[in-house]
Amino acid sequence: MKTSFAKKGDIKRDWFIIDASDKILGKVAANASRILLGKEKPGWTPHIDNGNFVVVLNAEKIKVSGKKEKDKLYRKHSGYPGGLKTLSFKELKAKNPCKIVELSVWGMLPKNIIGRRMIRRLKVYKDGLHPHLAQKPQVLEVR
């Protein structure tokens, strides 16, 4: 029995919509990363980027469980002494709610060239409007 591997020419990318309103951040990010990876496809191959496009809507209405609303911190460093910038979940949600979903999904993707290609197929919008109606996206329910 031969093992078949997906080739670049055989890849067909579909579009999926995830509505994040009143959903838990981790569940939305896990479902989005699984679709971006292409693991739900029968011809999934680890070294080939054969994932789909994901559109996440209503990022400003996303929820977290427990005390993460005030305790979860997002840190970045400029590289200079004293250059650590820290924002809480609540502050980042008020400033840029799309960044929360993007960072969460990026944490679940591989940190290599393929992962950087996958994250480009993630489209996050803070409200329910998006410009991707021409692609005929399928609505996906978060489990």
Side-chain angles (χ1 to χ4, degrees):
M1 192 162 145
K2 292 186 176 186
T3 303
S4 62
F5 290 107
K7 296 174 185 67
K8 278 189 176 180
D10 301 338
I11 298 170
K12 181 184 175 294
R13 299 195 195 280
D14 297 322
W15 286 72
F16 293 94
I17 290 182
I18 297 176
D19 186 14
S21 57
D22 299 325
K23 302 284 190 320
I24 301 294
L25 172 64
K27 291 182 185 265
V28 170
N31 284 324
S33 66
R34 189 162 181 80
I35 294 167
L36 289 170
L37 284 163
K39 284 202 164 183
E40 80 286 346
K41 291 184 175 182
W44 179 73
T45 309
H47 65 280
I48 299 290
D49 179 17
N50 61 348
N52 296 313
F53 286 87
V54 177
V55 178
V56 178
L57 303 177
N58 297 315
E60 64 187 1
K61 297 178 185 175
I62 203 151
K63 304 274 189 221
V64 287
S65 60
K67 297 190 293 182
K68 293 185 197 106
E69 185 86 24
K70 62 181 172 96
D71 291 347
K72 186 171 177 59
L73 298 175
Y74 292 91
R75 296 181 178 104
K76 64 180 182 176
H77 200 284
S78 66
Y80 289 98
L84 181 66
K85 308 267 194 282
T86 306
L87 287 173
S88 70
F89 177 85
K90 196 173 197 175
E91 293 168 340
L92 188 59
K93 188 175 178 182
K95 184 178 178 183
N96 187 1
C98 300
K99 190 76 172 169
I100 292 172
V101 177
E102 290 168 4
L103 288 172
S104 183
V105 172
W106 172 244
M108 298 180 185
L109 293 177
K111 310 302 183 283
N112 55 24
I113 294 169
I114 295 175
R116 287 188 290 276
R117 233 182 273 142
M118 288 175 186
I119 198 71
R120 282 190 233 142
R121 288 196 309 273
L122 176 69
K123 315 292 182 195
V124 183
Y125 299 99
K126 72 183 221 176
D127 53 6
L129 303 173
H130 64 91
H132 304 290
L133 292 174
Q135 284 77 22
K136 298 180 185 130
Q138 305 168 23
V139 177
L140 188 73
E141 193 61 39
V142 174
R143 299 177 232 149

